[in-house]
Amino acid sequence: MKSSFLLGLFAMTSFTVAASNYQFHEQQYRQDVKTLSSTKFAGRGPLSPQETLTTDYLVSAYKKMGLAPGYKGKYLQPVPMAKITPDQNMTLKVGHESFKNLTEFTARTQRISKTIALKQSDVVFVGYGINAPEYHWNDYQGLDVKGKTVIVLVNDPGFATQNPKLFTGNAMTYYGRWTYKYEEAARQGAKAVFIVHETAPAAYGWGVVRNSNSGSKLTLIDAHDNQDQVAVMGWIQHQTAQKIFKEAGLNFDELKQKADTNKFKAVDLKLAANLTINNTIEKATSYNVVAKLPAKTVTNETVVMQAHWDHLGQITDSKGKVHTYHGAVDNASGSAGVLDLARNLKVMAKNKPFKRNILFANFTAEETGLIGAQQFAKAPPVPTKDIVAFLNIDGMNVNQGVDYILRYGNGMSELEHYLADAAKAQNRFVKPDPRPQNGLFFRSDHFALAQAGVPGLLFMSLGDTDPDYIAHKYHKEADTYSSSWNLGGVKQDLTLISNILLKLANNDDWPKWLMDSDFKKRRAEDGR
């Protein structure tokens, strides 16, 4: 779920791939991307008629390679989902102020409820809404917000102050992500959360917030119909926050600055919030695709190689025109890459079987919230304690090769050492994420596994070697296959990924988390 961003390096230097046993099947790769991003596949929307076309294509490819079913004797893992469509005719009232949906606020829910009613809910400003013991920070300290509405700031104090000693400075932590804000508020018992939008700390404009919350949204369904989640997931404009705080006799911008220290105490605005969300709910099942390359000796240890198969599908505009979002780079290129890796490693394993299992997977509904990945983490084909590592491709470099590889996250896990070694073998260097404030490490499928304790690596080249991609192709109809693609970068990166997979599949190592975090704690619970 990669909100609009600018990587901005656009390096176009020609670079030769180091000698390797990896055999890149260029023509097959081109055919895979071309097919998956074709008009017939109509953007590969989850729950669309084209989902079956997509999953059938992937399953057929894995069967042809001779890979075994990877999920309980089957190639398909069910992902129970709900499509929730809120009636946009809603008004948020706080005190005597009323606010317009989509222009001044947005609101939705993931609870499987036809009506969500916020009635005379006390409003509290809780700063960043963060509870992070490792950073000695708890905005909820001594606070009871059960049934209340909380207003929180986007991102985290490190970005706000640019203090490298506060959280991780400019680089966003998970505590800065909007998803965390909702999760923590739910743990605290709040009924509604409104995040104050500002473009710089959010890393995207209000238009992204509006578009992401103005229509139907897919969500995973748990055994309790998601009733443990916060009832109202909202955003408010900066000016909306200023009006609310003025109504309370307070200055929002002054309090925002005071929230930048761990001495900040939550402020009761002594106002009540009212809002009603009426939902149309449809339940359906989507599918992850999972294939297995069985181990020779250590049959209970597994490495996972994955790329999400979905994109945005087809969207009908207000004039009735149907727009197809083909998703060639994002992420037909990644899905085709996983297929090519599977073909190579299957041949290698025939000559010399690997010690550990390798699962090759393609998840559904990444674009709508990492839903397929969440289901995989929740109900994995093998226990997460037995998953050594999770490698994830989310958009490949379809242009010529470069002399570096991008690293997302810094000091997160020992897998970064694997990345550095594999890059060095190709005479490349590791380049840190050029936009760490955007928190891209937390925005793709590997992160759902990280939350289950499994360390991972993200391979993403969206826009990095194409200065035109973000502006004119990313999540747009123009993201289509081109026969002019050089594919030197694809060959280069698949070779690098293959080297990491081979190392992990044949050694006894369990890469550790380096940074203190909930991920590290979760891994420790599994004795790893």
Side-chain angles (χ1 to χ4, degrees), residues 333-496:
S333 71
S335 291
V338 171
L339 292 180
D340 200 70
L341 286 163
R343 291 186 187 98
N344 269 273
L345 271 69
K346 179 66 170 67
V347 172
M348 295 178 193
K350 184 176 181 181
N351 297 325
K352 187 178 180 181
F354 305 139
K355 290 176 63 176
R356 288 166 160 166
N357 303 308
I358 301 178
L359 289 182
F360 296 94
N362 306 85
F363 293 165
T364 182
E366 187 271 351
E367 300 289 3
T368 50
L370 318 185
I371 295 174
Q374 289 174 4
Q375 180 64 14
F376 186 89
K378 176 183 174 182
V382 297
T384 53
K385 70 180 181 63
D386 293 330
I387 300 179
V388 179
F390 185 92
L391 308 187
N392 174 32
I393 303 175
D394 199 349
M396 301 206 72
N397 172 21
V398 296
N399 299 303
Q400 57 192 10
V402 294
D403 62 354
Y404 62 88
I405 184 73
L406 288 172
R407 182 194 66 219
Y408 295 95
N410 182 28
M412 300 294 290
S413 81
E414 291 176 344
L415 285 175
E416 293 171 24
H417 305 326
Y418 281 77
L419 182 69
D421 290 344
K424 185 177 181 181
Q426 291 185 324
N427 297 316
R428 301 165 75 186
F429 68 96
V430 174
K431 180 172 285 189
D433 176 6
R435 296 291 183 271
Q437 67 272 24
N438 290 2
L440 292 174
F441 180 85
F442 311 109
R443 298 188 182 188
S444 193
D445 282 332
H446 64 284
F447 182 64
L449 274 295
Q451 290 180 298
V454 181
L457 284 175
L458 169 63
F459 299 92
M460 179 190 288
S461 295
L462 293 180
D464 185 55
T465 58
D466 179 1
D468 188 55
Y469 184 80
I470 295 299
H472 299 110
K473 300 174 186 175
Y474 176 69
H475 282 198
K476 295 180 174 66
E477 294 174 89
D479 186 2
T480 57
Y481 169 76
S482 174
S483 60
S484 67
W485 286 351
N486 178 276
L487 297 187
V490 172
K491 179 179 180 182
Q492 182 186 44
D493 288 345
L494 291 180
T495 302
L496 179 147

Side-chain angles (χ1 to χ4, degrees), residues 125-127 138-139 141 255 258 261-267:
F125 175 55
V126 293
N138 187 358
D139 289 317
Q141 183 69 43
L255 283 175
K258 291 180 180 179
T261 76
N262 60 6
K263 295 179 180 179
F264 173 78
K265 299 296 183 184
V267 178

Side-chain angles (χ1 to χ4, degrees), residues 59-345:
V59 169
S60 177
Y62 289 129
K63 285 182 177 179
K64 186 175 181 180
M65 296 174 207
L67 293 185
Y71 183 77
K72 297 183 178 180
K74 298 180 180 180
Y75 290 96
L76 297 179
Q77 177 188 23
V79 182
M81 297 196 299
K83 179 192 285 187
I84 303 178
T85 307
D87 183 347
Q88 298 302 320
N89 184 27
M90 62 175 108
T91 301
L92 171 65
K93 296 181 180 179
V94 182
H96 295 97
E97 294 279 353
S98 295
F99 301 100
K100 296 180 180 179
N101 184 34
L102 301 183
T103 57
E104 295 177 296
F105 80 97
T106 68
R108 64 183 180 90
T109 189
Q110 290 188 167
R111 291 189 179 184
I112 312 303
S113 301
K114 290 186 177 181
T115 301
I116 298 291
L118 199 61
K119 295 182 179 180
Q120 293 298 111
S121 174
D122 293 338
V123 182
V124 184
F125 175 55
V126 293
Y128 286 91
I130 292 173
N131 178 14
E134 68 271 31
Y135 292 113
H136 309 290
W137 196 285
N138 187 358
D139 289 317
Y140 289 98
Q141 183 69 43
L143 189 63
D144 181 4
V145 295
K146 290 181 174 62
K148 297 180 181 180
T149 294
V150 299
I151 295 177
V152 301
L153 302 172
V154 73
N155 213 313
D156 61 46
F159 177 83
T161 62
Q162 293 293 295
N163 179 356
K165 296 181 180 180
L166 191 58
F167 284 68
T168 54
N170 184 57
M172 184 188 286
T173 65
Y174 184 56
Y175 295 114
R177 289 284 290 141
W178 59 266
T179 48
Y180 168 80
K181 312 287 185 179
Y182 297 142
E183 291 165 359
E184 184 60 37
R187 286 189 284 268
Q188 298 290 337
K191 187 163 186 181
V193 183
F194 287 96
I195 302 171
V196 181
H197 174 267
E198 293 185 82
T199 298
Y204 40 79
W206 179 256
V208 173
V209 175
R210 181 190 62 238
N211 294 341
S212 297
N213 293 278
S214 60
S216 301
K217 296 286 288 186
L218 298 176
T219 182
L220 198 65
I221 306 175
D222 65 21
H224 307 289
D225 278 347
N226 301 346
Q227 296 303 309
D228 291 336
Q229 298 190 32
V230 67
V232 178
M233 305 162 65
W235 288 80
I236 55 176
Q237 286 266 37
H238 181 210
Q239 291 181 339
T240 303
Q242 290 174 321
K243 290 180 181 178
I244 291 172
F245 279 61
K246 185 177 180 180
E247 169 83 358
L250 301 167
N251 185 300
F252 168 74
D253 294 301
E254 289 180 0
L255 283 175
K256 173 189 168 186
Q257 288 188 330
K258 291 180 180 179
D260 288 342
T261 76
N262 60 6
K263 295 179 180 179
F264 173 78
K265 299 296 183 184
V267 178
D268 185 346
L269 300 191
K270 301 187 185 307
L271 297 174
N274 290 274
L275 174 71
T276 299
I277 307 176
N278 294 310
N279 301 305
T280 300
I281 299 172
E282 304 171 57
K283 293 184 178 181
T285 300
S286 187
Y287 294 91
N288 291 330
V289 179
V290 189
K292 181 178 180 179
L293 182 55
K296 177 184 179 182
T297 53
V298 189
T299 57
N300 66 322
E301 297 179 4
T302 300
V303 181
V304 182
M305 182 71 241
Q306 193 277 152
H308 71 89
W309 61 253
D310 69 297
H311 195 57
L312 305 182
Q314 292 183 315
I315 298 175
T316 303
D317 65 21
S318 59
K319 297 181 180 179
K321 182 179 179 181
V322 177
H323 300 267
T324 300
Y325 295 81
H326 300 275
V329 171
D330 182 17
N331 190 29
S333 71
S335 291
V338 171
L339 292 180
D340 200 70
L341 286 163
R343 291 186 187 98
N344 269 273
L345 271 69

